[in-house]
């Protein structure tokens, strides 16, 4: 079924949606994005995504083409037009089309490009893989030093995903200076007893919106939370491991580089945090 998508203020059939070949998003990956989940036809943690979007734009000195209320309204309209019960909304904002290719940023008179579309995922809350968990491999983190900005430069994460596929796994975790940074498109955690360990915020990981919520819920549920780097060996020897992202919520990780983590089945902490996350976020969805 053809989707209705959003391009620069218009709702259009996807086949009619067009962006210039001179758009800096296309030529330079000069753009930022957000992925917001939809459950029960409602937006999950809209505010968190809107705040991070504003930060990404500010870090790149890119003007925001839309206010938060209009953004929420546009997301809701896309959900309604495409009858999404469970799925995602992808939003991308680029520095626009200066009419030619140049490394120099165009002046402020060039409007940003804003596009958004829905992805229908009827089993988003209960995908089969959540019952068995992810198998991951580790690969060197070869990304640039500002991955805290959610840019559309996703070639290396995409290559990481392909390497994982080739190894018969679900994802890659990146490693820098001997420690895990994060997954290709998710934050990484280990569990030891009652303690949940995840890398501290910095410019070397994306400040996950799901991460913030999960750590809050974990603390409320009396888990200890420790924000620090951990090694691959420590992760392999942990009781449990998991990843978080808006599109996978809390995903158990049961194998790292061929070594079984814990029992090799989704662990009780990850399973519990997934339940709490879904329950709590459904309550505040808009
Ligand atoms: N880390 C990276 C590199 C990501 O690409 C993502 C999501 O796309 C995340 C972490 C998780 O962020 P969030 O929970 O906001 O989806």
């Amino acid at each position: 079924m053809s989707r209705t998508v959003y391009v620069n203020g218009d709702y259009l059939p996807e086949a009619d949606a067009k962006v210039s070949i001179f758009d800096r998003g296309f030529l330079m990956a000069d753009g930022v994005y957000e992925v917001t989940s939809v459950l029960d036809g409602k937006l999950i943690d809209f505010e968190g995504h809107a705040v991070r979007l504003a930060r990404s734009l500010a870090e790149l000195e890119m003007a925001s083409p839309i206010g938060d209320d209009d953004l929420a309204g546009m997301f809701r309209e896309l959900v309604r037009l495409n009858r999404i019960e469970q799925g995602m909304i992808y939003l991308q904002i680029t520095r626009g089309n200066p009419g030619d290719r140049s490394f120099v940023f165009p002046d402020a008179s060039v409007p940003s490009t804003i596009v958004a579309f829905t992805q229908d995922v009827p089993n988003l809350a209960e995908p089969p893989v959540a019952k068995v968990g992810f198998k991951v491999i580790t690969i060197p983190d070869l990304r640039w030093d500002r991955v805290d900005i959610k840019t559309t430069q996703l070639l290396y994460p995409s290559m990481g995903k392909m390497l994982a596929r080739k190894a018969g796994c679900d994802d890659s975790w990146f490693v820098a200076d001997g420690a895990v940074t994060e997954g290709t498109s998710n934050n990484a955690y280990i569990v030891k007893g009652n303690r949940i360990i995840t890398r501290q915020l910095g410019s070397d990981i994306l400040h996950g919106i799901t991460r913030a919520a999960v750590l809050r819920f974990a603390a409320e549920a009396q888990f200890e939370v420790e924000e620090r780097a951990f090694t691959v060996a420590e992760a392999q020897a942990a009781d449990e491991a998991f990843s978080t992202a808006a599109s996978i919520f809390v995903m158990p990780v049961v194998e790292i580089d061929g070594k079984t983590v814990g029992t090799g089945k989704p662990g009780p902490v990850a399973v519990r945090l997934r339940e709490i996350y879904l329950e709590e976020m459904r309550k505040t969805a808009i």
Side-chain angles (χ1 to χ4, degrees):
M1 201 189 80
S2 168
R3 279 172 285 196
T4 300
V5 303
Y6 177 90
V7 184
N8 295 327
D10 295 323
Y11 296 90
L12 302 167
E14 61 184 46
D16 298 340
K18 302 218 168 11
V19 173
S20 167
I21 62 160
F22 299 117
D23 195 281
R24 286 184 60 92
F26 178 63
L27 293 179
M28 306 274 180
D30 187 358
V32 301
Y33 75 107
E34 281 296 329
V35 175
T36 306
S37 285
V38 177
L39 291 177
D40 316 320
K42 292 182 176 171
L43 312 176
I44 298 296
D45 212 343
F46 173 79
E47 198 190 334
H49 290 284
V51 168
R52 185 173 60 191
L53 174 68
R55 179 178 181 276
S56 293
L57 289 167
E59 290 293 320
L60 296 176
E61 297 173 24
M62 214 184 278
S64 173
I66 193 165
D68 288 359
D69 290 348
D70 288 343
L71 186 64
M74 183 260 275
F75 278 9
R76 286 217 197 87
E77 184 63 358
L78 283 176
V79 167
R80 188 185 71 77
L81 290 169
N82 293 288
R83 298 192 183 87
I84 305 295
E85 269 301 302
Q86 290 194 36
M88 278 108 69
I89 302 174
Y90 177 86
L91 167 80
Q92 180 167 327
I93 297 174
T94 78
R95 209 180 299 274
N97 164 24
D100 202 351
R101 180 176 183 270
S102 165
F103 280 81
V104 178
F105 286 1
D107 65 44
S109 64
V110 173
S112 337
T113 298
I114 172 167
V115 303
F117 55 83
T118 53
Q119 294 182 289
D120 192 21
V121 187
N123 65 357
L124 186 73
E126 282 164 11
V129 69
K131 294 258 180 283
V132 289
F134 269 9
K135 292 179 180 171
V136 305
I137 58 169
T138 62
I139 60 172
D141 195 339
L142 301 182
R143 301 171 300 166
W144 75 326
D145 281 342
R146 288 305 309 275
V147 296
D148 57 312
I149 309 172
K150 198 166 168 67
T151 76
T152 56
Q153 302 172 61
L154 296 175
L155 180 56
Y156 189 64
S158 192
M159 289 167 75
K161 201 79 180 171
M162 293 312 294
L163 287 170
R165 282 272 169 91
K166 280 183 196 143
C169 292
D170 304 284
D171 199 23
S172 292
W173 277 8
F174 297 131
V175 176
D177 299 326
V180 173
T181 50
E182 59 184 339
T184 57
S185 49
N186 48 72
N187 292 113
Y189 307 72
I190 57 173
V191 180
K192 287 179 166 190
N194 193 45
R195 195 173 335 140
I196 292 162
I197 301 161
T198 192
R199 194 180 180 92
Q200 68 281 2
L201 294 180
S203 61
D204 47 10
I205 63 167
L206 186 75
H207 302 187
I209 301 307
T210 319
R211 177 188 184 280
V214 165
L215 292 187
R216 197 171 67 239
F217 298 142
E220 283 166 14
Q222 310 302 321
F223 289 104
E224 277 175 57
V225 173
E226 198 178 340
E227 294 180 64
R228 65 159 173 88
F230 57 85
T231 64
V232 176
E234 193 180 4
Q236 288 169 324
D239 298 334
E240 295 183 34
F242 62 93
S243 282
T244 67
S247 54
I248 56 171
F249 310 122
V250 179
M251 181 61 67
V253 168
V254 298
E255 190 185 292
I256 301 172
D257 286 338
K259 288 224 168 92
T260 300
V261 179
T263 63
K265 299 216 161 65
V269 176
V271 169
R272 181 76 193 114
L273 286 174
R274 184 180 175 90
E275 284 168 4
I276 297 175
Y277 179 83
L278 286 169
E279 197 181 310
E280 291 301 318
M281 296 320 279
R282 279 185 146 122
K283 284 188 202 159
T284 55
I286 60 167

